[in-house]
Amino acid sequence: MKMFKKTTIVGVGLIGGSLGMAMMSGGLAGQITGLTRHKHTLSLAKRSKAVTKGTLDFKKAVKDADLVIIAAPISKIVKVARDIMPFLKQGSIVTDVGSLKGEIVKQIDSIPRIRKKEVYFVGSHPMAGSEKSGVCSARKDLFKGSFCFLTRTRFTDQKALNKIRKLWEKLGAEVKVVSPVRHDSIVTYISHLPHILAYHLSMLVPFKYYKYSGGSFLDMTRIASSNPRLWRDICVMNSREIGKALGVYQTSIGRVKNIVSAGRHQKLLSLFKKAKNRRDSYNREWLSL
């Protein structure tokens, strides 16, 4: 039995396209309608079997949809939610895939139809993706073995939350339900800060040295190939948390600089051993936090 008779995906790029492919191949949706701004993207999405049909008209796209997944850029998510809200049927579920949750969830929760529980909203953030973008980079197994945050507030309907949780689990993701504030605090350190450091390191190293680089430099800077506009928007929207994290990093790297400058061999060894042990022992125990 299909989980959703009709699903609409707003923004059929890497994440949206991968969701469409995964839901279709897993038999989770009867029909998937893609909504984009460009006919060429719709053509590619259909060819990739990310959607069964597509449209440029948001009213047609969401009509009779049981589930609407907003996979638009984070700066557009709230606007999309507001634009489609009058045309959603009673009881439909809306979710998003944005990498920020605090302000986005707050604003969508304030929409009257959400407050009245005519339509349900559950914030999602799959920790899956690539430095590549677009539906041509989408794949149906993108979420297998990945991790996905769901957010819960006092306006979240439990049945809708359970259904979205079940969807992500069927797609192969491990799910953790947190508050929007808790989500943003976590992803600032495990996602946003690493991206900023990768961009910075890519610019710090003289380009003439790139040709000599090995795995370490390439591994550390891979995500600097990510979409610059996406990460600009993330930094602007999450400036407070990122600013705090960068302050912590500055203090920490300053201490490391002093240790290196002083040639404190034992302190360096202790530092590197501690970091190695932490990284080597990584597992999913932190899910219980």
Side-chain angles (χ1 to χ4, degrees):
M1 183 178 177
K2 311 291 185 185
M3 284 190 69
F4 301 97
K5 185 177 179 181
K6 178 182 176 180
T7 296
T8 298
I9 299 177
V10 183
V12 193
L14 171 65
I15 301 297
S18 296
L19 273 166
M21 290 178 184
M23 290 181 72
M24 287 302 296
S25 65
L28 303 177
Q31 173 189 319
I32 296 182
T33 298
L35 173 63
T36 73
R37 294 175 296 169
H38 307 291
K39 288 183 179 180
H40 180 62
T41 302
L42 286 180
S43 177
L44 291 174
K46 288 179 186 177
R47 197 181 311 160
S48 303
K49 297 184 179 179
V51 300
T52 54
K53 60 187 298 186
T55 180
L56 306 180
D57 186 328
F58 68 88
K59 296 178 186 179
K60 292 180 181 177
V62 303
K63 183 181 179 182
D64 297 323
D66 304 298
L67 172 66
V68 177
I69 302 171
I70 304 176
I74 61 168
S75 60
K76 305 292 184 185
I77 290 173
V78 174
K79 183 180 185 305
V80 169
R82 286 176 175 157
D83 286 345
I84 66 174
M85 201 58 59
F87 309 100
L88 296 173
K89 72 176 185 179
Q90 183 92 12
S92 61
I93 301 174
V94 178
T95 190
D96 74 311
V97 295
S99 58
L100 280 174
K101 284 288 160 281
E103 192 61 27
I104 288 173
V105 173
K106 179 182 177 181
Q107 291 194 42
I108 295 179
D109 272 354
S110 72
I111 296 173
R113 291 200 73 191
I114 299 293
R115 290 283 178 97
K116 294 175 183 177
K117 294 191 178 295
E118 297 174 354
V119 175
Y120 307 115
F121 173 69
V122 179
S124 301
H125 178 200
M127 299 296 291
S130 167
E131 72 278 8
K132 299 176 182 178
S133 60
V135 69
C136 292
S137 300
R139 63 178 204 268
K140 65 182 180 181
D141 64 345
L142 182 66
F143 308 105
K144 287 185 178 178
S146 70
F147 180 80
C148 183
F149 286 106
L150 298 184
T151 59
R152 175 166 43 206
T153 71
R154 62 193 178 98
F155 301 106
T156 305
D157 180 80
Q158 189 61 46
K159 288 183 179 179
L161 178 67
N162 291 342
K163 195 158 189 179
I164 295 301
R165 179 173 196 149
K166 185 177 179 181
L167 170 64
W168 285 110
E169 288 174 345
K170 283 185 173 294
L171 294 175
E174 191 167 359
V175 175
K176 176 72 172 179
V177 180
V178 295
S179 71
V181 172
R182 178 65 170 156
H183 166 273
D184 289 357
S185 177
I186 293 171
V187 299
T188 294
Y189 279 93
I190 64 172
S191 178
H192 303 171
L193 183 60
H195 273 84
I196 292 171
L197 297 183
Y199 280 121
H200 181 69
L201 185 58
S202 296
M203 292 300 297
L204 179 68
V205 174
F207 188 66
K208 61 185 178 181
Y209 296 166
Y210 271 50
K211 62 184 177 182
Y212 306 116
S213 61
S216 58
F217 178 74
L218 297 177
D219 287 347
M220 288 190 68
T221 58
R222 176 185 60 82
I223 54 177
S225 294
S226 300
N227 187 327
R229 287 185 175 85
L230 166 67
W231 284 98
R232 174 202 62 188
D233 291 346
I234 288 173
C235 288
V236 169
M237 293 178 70
N238 196 32
S239 60
R240 184 177 177 181
E241 288 295 326
I242 290 175
K244 289 195 297 186
L246 284 169
V248 172
Y249 176 76
Q250 276 185 305
T251 300
S252 178
I253 201 69
R255 289 174 182 151
V256 174
K257 176 186 174 184
N258 292 337
I259 292 170
V260 172
S261 298
R264 297 174 62 186
H265 302 269
Q266 278 305 122
K267 187 64 177 177
L268 278 172
L269 182 61
S270 175
L271 177 69
F272 293 157
K273 279 184 176 181
K274 184 177 180 180
K276 173 180 166 52
N277 289 339
R278 175 176 289 194
R279 184 62 180 84
D280 289 349
S281 63
Y282 165 76
N283 54 39
R284 290 292 174 89
E285 287 180 4
W286 63 283
L287 293 180
S288 63
L289 297 178

